[in-house]
Amino acid sequence: MAMRQTPLTCSGHTRPVVDLAFSGITPYGYFLISACKDGKPMLRQGDTGDWIGTFLGHKGAVWGATLNKEATKAATAAADFTAKVWDAVTGDEVLTLAHKHIVKSVNFTEDSTCLLTGGNDKVLRIYDLGKPEAEPLEIAGHTSAIKKALWCNNDQQILSAADDRTVRLWDKNTKEAVKTLAFDASVSSMEYIPDGEILVITYGRTIAFYNANSLDLIKAVDAPASIHSASLHPEKDFFVAGGDDFKLYKYDYTTKEEMESYKGHFGPIHCVRFSPDGELYASGSEDGTLRLWQTAVGKTYGLWKCVLPENLDGKYNTAI
Amino acid sequence: MTFILEIKRSSGLRFRRVLNETPVSVLRLPRGPEPNSRGFDPTSPRFIALCPTTLPSSSSSSGSADEEEQRLRAELRERFLRTLLLMTGKRVRFDMHEHVRVHARFGASDIDVLNLQVCDLETPLGVQREALLRSQDVIACSFEV
């Protein structure tokens, strides 16, 4: 019996949701953080979408949010010219890192000792969280606002995407750009998959997959509408993408064929990410909601329950 | 819910698909935020297990330093609330983001000080009889005592 996807809507934000990130799998499950223009990033239980807490303190729209692998720390990037580090267990603010302009992106290293930030002042900064008063390491080079900055290659290199339509790979120690990719359109999102060293980049209607070391193109797919974000399944069999037409698209990574599209959001989709176990993906939208979607529709997982049909002989008949 | 499959063959594939599909059941909806709390339940198993060993925060762990900080915070809070009371009915100058400076008669603030109710708000577009100012947009307010 064919099942129709039932997305789970997580409400609570009052403005568009612009970024979201999952933690790794912890003994307490996995967690999800959402960045919102209402200035109040929220932490949720990853598999159910249940609200756990709100990080209060930013005085402007929050453009980026991330969790460390163990979900013990959170970091946020905001329009109030600060990046903040939070205790993700108590919700307390731990550090405020002042910047000279809107901060758009934050990313922890694998061991959570360093935080990478990037934003409208076009400079990448690396903070040692053990010495927060020390000046950050700065990497300059982009000619426009930085949208996304990520650690890669065992935290030895940095990938950054900016409004100057380039994606650059930097060496953390030499602070030099090792490689640059130029695009015709602004890059809307970037995801780094450490296992397999794959970089997922979206621009215009295209979802492109690159080797994260060489920045060689692996493959590219064009969607029916402008795409704002895409995510590759941990097992690399599917990827999902969402953008301007409010729909979520699911593609087969191997064949590049569109498998499904899902309606549900009432506004453009700004971010989409697979959970660390690949069982669901979360999307954040201009409509102020997060939605959770099943990878295997109909499977019992989280709040979704597989209900067996009453009649097992394969014939359809009306319910009385 | 199941349906009779006796539908016209000329119907599109899409129509047949809608009839055949059953929406996945859910146990309940995801829980939303509590209105009066920022969450992070201290009785949750994760909090209890991890709290003593999470990041050291900037305040010291000794009891007397905590108490002193608490006392100072309470004093500052009381001063702030008394200032709000004193401001009631007075003509106040609000300095806001984007170099906005307006004058208005202050009425009241809501319980979380998220909004400030004012009257006769002088704006470049004219005088607004009643208005609400978003507190997060206000940098400073000044008034004659």
Side-chain angles (χ1 to χ4, degrees), chain A residues 2 11 53 123-124 127 155 179 191 193 229 249 257 271 301 305:
Chain A
S11 56
V123 172
L124 292 160
Y127 291 86
D155 300 333
K179 278 228 155 56
E191 183 191 42
I193 317 281
S229 181
Y249 293 94
E257 271 170 35
C271 45
Y301 182 85
K305 191 167 164 59

Side-chain angles (χ1 to χ4, degrees), chain A residues 97-109:
Chain A
L97 304 164
H99 288 64
K100 297 186 174 65
H101 212 307
I102 295 169
V103 194
K104 283 280 178 77
S105 177
V106 272
N107 196 233
F108 286 107
T109 47

Side-chain angles (χ1 to χ4, degrees), chain A residues 5-283:
Chain A
Q5 170 90 264
T6 303
L8 292 170
T9 303
C10 307
S11 56
H13 284 304
T14 54
R15 299 283 312 281
V17 176
V18 291
D19 194 22
L20 66 91
F22 281 98
S23 69
I25 298 174
T26 80
Y28 302 92
Y30 57 88
F31 300 85
L32 166 62
I33 187 170
S34 50
C36 181
K37 287 189 183 179
D38 63 12
K40 300 184 183 145
M42 291 186 179
L43 185 72
R44 294 177 186 271
Q45 193 69 42
D47 61 338
T48 57
D50 288 339
W51 175 81
I52 292 174
T54 304
F55 298 101
L56 296 176
H58 274 302
K59 294 179 173 62
V62 176
W63 287 102
T66 191
L67 291 166
N68 68 347
K69 216 165 51 170
E70 302 80 22
T72 50
K73 296 189 208 186
T76 50
D80 61 6
F81 294 13
T82 69
K84 286 182 192 278
V85 179
W86 312 79
D87 181 323
V89 181
T90 63
D92 293 335
E93 185 185 316
V94 169
L95 262 183
T96 296
L97 304 164
H99 288 64
K100 297 186 174 65
H101 212 307
I102 295 169
V103 194
K104 283 280 178 77
S105 177
V106 272
N107 196 233
F108 286 107
T109 47
E110 276 286 297
D111 61 5
S112 316
T113 56
C114 290
L115 184 73
L116 171 66
T117 69
N120 287 15
D121 66 355
K122 312 170 199 166
V123 172
L124 292 160
R125 287 188 175 82
I126 301 164
Y127 291 86
D128 179 346
L129 296 178
K131 295 181 224 154
E133 300 86 35
E135 285 300 306
L137 241 64
E138 290 188 2
I139 300 177
H142 274 295
T143 55
S144 271
I146 293 166
K147 267 178 131 137
K148 194 88 181 173
L150 300 170
W151 292 102
C152 66
N153 191 11
N154 284 324
D155 300 333
Q156 293 311 300
Q157 290 181 317
I158 289 164
L159 278 159
S160 60
D163 282 343
D164 58 13
R165 299 179 177 187
T166 66
V167 166
R168 299 183 200 207
L169 180 64
W170 309 83
D171 183 290
K172 174 194 103 170
N173 299 310
T174 65
K175 304 205 269 182
E176 300 279 307
V178 169
K179 278 228 155 56
T180 301
L181 278 175
F183 296 90
D184 293 329
S186 202
V187 171
S188 43
S189 82
M190 209 164 64
E191 183 191 42
Y192 169 64
I193 317 281
D195 174 27
E197 295 288 335
I198 297 176
L199 183 62
V200 184
I201 293 177
T202 59
Y203 58 94
R205 290 181 180 207
T206 309
I207 306 128
F209 301 88
Y210 287 82
N211 176 303
N213 293 325
S214 60
L215 291 193
D216 287 334
L217 177 67
I218 302 171
K219 61 180 80 176
V221 175
D222 278 346
S226 191
I227 295 294
H228 295 173
S229 181
S231 182
L232 179 63
H233 188 274
E235 255 127 75
K236 299 167 196 58
D237 34 17
F238 320 106
F239 63 93
V240 287
D244 270 345
D245 67 357
F246 312 179
K247 287 194 215 169
L248 263 171
Y249 293 94
K250 186 177 175 188
Y251 288 84
D252 181 308
Y253 180 63
T254 317
T255 65
K256 305 201 298 187
E257 271 170 35
E258 184 189 313
M259 297 166 66
E260 280 283 2
S261 66
Y262 299 111
K263 288 192 207 178
H265 276 295
F266 295 101
I269 292 165
H270 290 306
C271 45
V272 61
R273 282 289 179 270
F274 268 105
S275 62
D277 62 0
E279 294 283 355
L280 59 82
Y281 44 102
S283 57

